Amino acid sequence: MAAPAGAPVEAAAGRRFDYDVIVVGAGIMGSCAAHAAASRGARTLLLERFDLLHGLGSSHGESRTIRDAYADARYPPMVRLARRLWERAEAESGRRVLTPAPLLSLGPRSDASVLAAAGNAGAEEVGDLAARWGGAFRVPDGWVAAVSERGSGVLNATEAVRMFQALAAEKGAVVRDNAEVVGIRKGAGGGVVVATSTGEEFGGAKCVVTVGAWTGKLVRSVAGVDLPVQPLHTLVLYWRIKPGHERELTAEAGFPTFSSYCAPHFVYSTPSLERPGMIKINYHGGPPCDPDSRDLVSGGGDVVERVARWIDEFMPGRVETAGGPVDRLPCMYSMTPDEDFVIDFLDGEFGEDVVIGAGFSGHGFKMGPAVGSILAEMAMDGEARTAAEAGVELGHFKINRFDNNPMGNAKDL
């Protein structure tokens, strides 16, 4: 029986646990889930295996894009819900982590995905791209360029995680770092017991697992379930802007975030913001990796070369590629075969006591507050009412989509 909305889980269950909700993994998804649970009065524990705000996963760094330009129409409602929750958290905390910026979508007119993404975002086609942003972009004949002025921008990733952890703590959540979870089992009196590598154990009515690239290993060890979540090693690349063009590529000057749909290469960027004189231009993807034994310095395959070729073709005269990027920082994606999220109950012996949030496939950060609220509601109520009210359809993210179908939702648009 689900607890009434706003009530701690234990009240409905009639049992006592150390915590109502234990969240494993303190990246953006886990920090948002802990905040959502604690905001409803749940006794909440947030556990992180590394130092808080570490740079070894997928939630660190100085910038992420927020955009509702998705070819799959299921995602824009979640992005818009997240945008409202980002604004609410900023107001609650007094911090600013989101800088508005236009969004430019580029791609061949023959590519259905770019047309669908632009349409779902309500973007308007740019008639003369050379007249916008100082003529920074040059695209081939037959390409479409569409711009959206609403709802897009740049998120400061590390500061966003810090904000939600602080808000969770203010609401009474206990936040622990250097607490690697190595086991989750059913409790003798119900609920779950979460065990760490140091031998500590915590009892909880419910557990939310948001461990990113470590999801496959943890879920396999505790439940014998093989989730198809493949970590990829990718690089965050900062390139030097050529002299005389530094200001025109800044967020302050209105330069956009952009996405280039150029199969098989997807390139994206944020305007020059966090590092004056530089711009972040990245490739969406990277080689498979083991999160516990990857090459942090030289990994990433041919990502640098791919991005450099794109810059030379599409932004000639604006960004320096000779000598490579000024800086390259490691990051990871947690990819599913269809690049759709996993948001579901673990089921099996755990039933609805363990909720999984995983496989965000390099495009989930922007939706962190929405995903966190959904995970907390699933844990506490057995359903996600906020998602339903916002028009977010969660059936698309169930684990069983991979039953006898290794590609899940994958399809041609």
Side-chain angles (χ1 to χ4, degrees):
M1 181 177 184
V9 177
E10 62 161 322
R15 296 187 295 267
R16 300 293 300 184
F17 300 100
D18 297 331
Y19 296 95
D20 298 315
V21 179
I22 299 175
V23 181
V24 182
I28 190 61
M29 302 305 180
S31 297
C32 288
H35 170 248
S39 294
R40 289 181 48 185
R43 291 171 302 149
T44 304
L45 173 65
L46 176 60
L47 297 173
E48 169 55 50
R49 65 181 289 163
F50 301 113
D51 292 337
L52 296 178
L53 307 178
H54 65 86
L56 299 173
S58 306
S59 293
H60 59 285
E62 298 163 293
S63 58
R64 297 289 191 282
T65 61
I66 181 168
R67 58 180 174 88
D68 58 4
Y70 271 87
D72 188 334
R74 295 177 181 88
Y75 283 101
M78 189 182 290
V79 177
R80 290 162 192 156
L81 170 61
R83 178 65 188 248
R84 295 193 292 273
L85 296 176
W86 281 114
E87 292 173 350
R88 185 182 302 172
E90 285 185 315
E92 183 181 352
S93 67
R95 301 171 187 245
R96 184 185 181 216
V97 299
L98 197 164
T99 300
L103 169 67
L104 177 65
S105 298
L106 303 168
R109 193 173 293 277
S110 59
D111 189 328
S113 62
V114 68
L115 298 179
N120 289 334
E124 296 184 0
E125 189 166 341
V126 179
D128 184 6
L129 186 59
R132 299 290 298 269
W133 303 296
F137 297 99
R138 181 184 300 170
V139 298
D141 292 338
W143 274 50
V144 62
V147 65
S148 173
E149 302 280 355
R150 68 181 193 196
S152 56
V154 183
L155 293 158
N156 186 312
T158 296
E159 290 305 313
V161 176
R162 189 195 312 274
M163 175 179 73
F164 275 103
Q165 290 176 355
L167 288 173
E170 289 173 10
K171 297 294 184 181
V174 177
V175 181
R176 290 273 306 274
D177 62 357
N178 295 299
E180 179 186 5
V181 170
V182 295
I184 303 171
R185 67 179 189 272
K186 288 290 293 182
V192 298
V193 176
V194 175
T196 72
S197 59
T198 60
E200 290 184 286
E201 294 190 341
F202 304 96
K206 304 288 181 177
C207 180
V208 175
V209 176
T210 54
V211 293
W214 289 268
T215 299
K217 292 186 176 186
L218 182 60
V219 171
R220 188 180 306 113
S221 70
V222 303
V225 174
D226 284 314
L227 286 182
V229 177
Q230 173 62 59
L232 302 184
H233 180 81
T234 191
L235 295 173
V236 177
L237 306 175
Y238 286 93
W239 305 81
R240 189 172 306 283
I241 301 170
K242 291 189 174 182
H245 299 288
E246 293 88 351
R247 188 182 185 284
E248 68 188 44
L249 303 192
T250 64
E252 183 181 9
F255 196 74
T257 67
F258 64 80
S259 300
S260 173
Y261 299 75
C262 182
H265 311 312
F266 183 86
V267 173
Y268 68 96
S269 175
T270 57
S272 179
L273 180 63
E274 63 267 28
R275 300 192 181 192
M278 302 181 202
I279 186 169
K280 186 177 91 171
I281 305 178
N282 288 344
Y283 172 73
H284 178 73
C289 71
D290 181 331
D292 293 312
S293 58
R294 60 193 173 113
D295 184 347
L296 297 178
V297 178
S298 59
D302 63 350
V303 165
V304 171
E305 291 74 17
R306 293 186 185 197
V307 176
R309 288 196 298 270
W310 187 95
I311 293 171
D312 289 339
E313 181 177 358
F314 291 88
M315 297 185 72
R318 295 299 189 276
V319 179
E320 182 61 63
T321 59
V326 178
D327 201 2
R328 58 186 81 190
L329 306 174
C331 193
M332 279 192 290
Y333 288 174
S334 299
M335 302 295 289
T336 60
D338 51 20
E339 298 192 22
D340 286 323
F341 306 162
V342 172
I343 301 174
D344 201 0
F345 298 106
L346 185 54
D347 286 333
E349 67 170 315
F350 293 101
E352 295 187 353
D353 287 344
V354 177
V355 186
I356 303 293
F360 295 102
S361 300
H363 64 105
F365 191 98
K366 67 181 75 66
M367 289 171 264
V371 172
S373 292
I374 289 166
L375 294 171
E377 289 183 0
M378 289 175 66
M380 297 178 69
D381 307 328
E383 60 181 352
R385 299 169 190 171
T386 297
E389 292 168 359
V392 177
E393 190 271 302
L394 295 179
H396 198 61
F397 305 123
K398 287 186 173 294
I399 296 172
N400 66 9
R401 72 182 189 265
F402 298 110
D403 291 349
N404 302 313
N405 177 24
M407 296 307 294
N409 299 320
K411 63 183 182 302
D412 294 328
L413 292 170

